[in-house]
Amino acid sequence: MARTTQETSRVKSRRLSLRVEEGDRELFDRAADANRETLTQFLVAGGRERAERLLADRTRFQLAPDAWDELVAIMDRAAKPNPQLARLFSRRPAE
């Protein structure tokens, strides 16, 4: 995998030590070789992709344009009083 000069010139300042089963290590080594990456590049890229996907599910969502328009219309509507919610939020918390 080709790297830009900026990517290769970045200095890594943190070390991460992992213990893995022998079979996993062999699998990672073969996959990194197949992708023409170092083991570190392979594992960091894979971990980064998984972390970004996991966190994106908790911080962002995407909608089709028509669904977005519908959501905006719903949010723009005036709020209606909800007596049940008012009662819920007026109760004292259990001690």
Side-chain angles (χ1 to χ4, degrees), residues 28-82:
F28 299 152
D29 284 335
R30 286 195 329 264
D33 287 344
N35 209 36
R36 295 188 177 101
E37 293 179 300
T38 66
L39 181 59
T40 297
Q41 289 169 329
F42 178 78
L43 291 176
V44 169
R48 183 184 307 112
E49 289 170 15
R50 184 170 182 206
E52 287 172 349
R53 267 196 321 273
L54 184 138
L55 295 174
D57 288 347
R58 289 163 172 76
T59 58
R60 297 187 304 243
F61 64 94
Q62 293 180 326
L63 297 173
D66 57 330
W68 174 255
D69 293 341
E70 183 179 352
L71 177 62
V72 170
I74 290 169
M75 292 189 306
D76 284 346
R77 282 190 263 178
K80 295 179 185 176
N82 186 325

Side-chain angles (χ1 to χ4, degrees), residues 75-93:
M75 292 189 306
D76 284 346
R77 282 190 263 178
K80 295 179 185 176
N82 186 325
Q84 293 160 325
L85 277 179
R87 274 195 308 278
L88 175 67
F89 287 112
S90 66
R91 293 191 332 209
R92 293 186 70 168

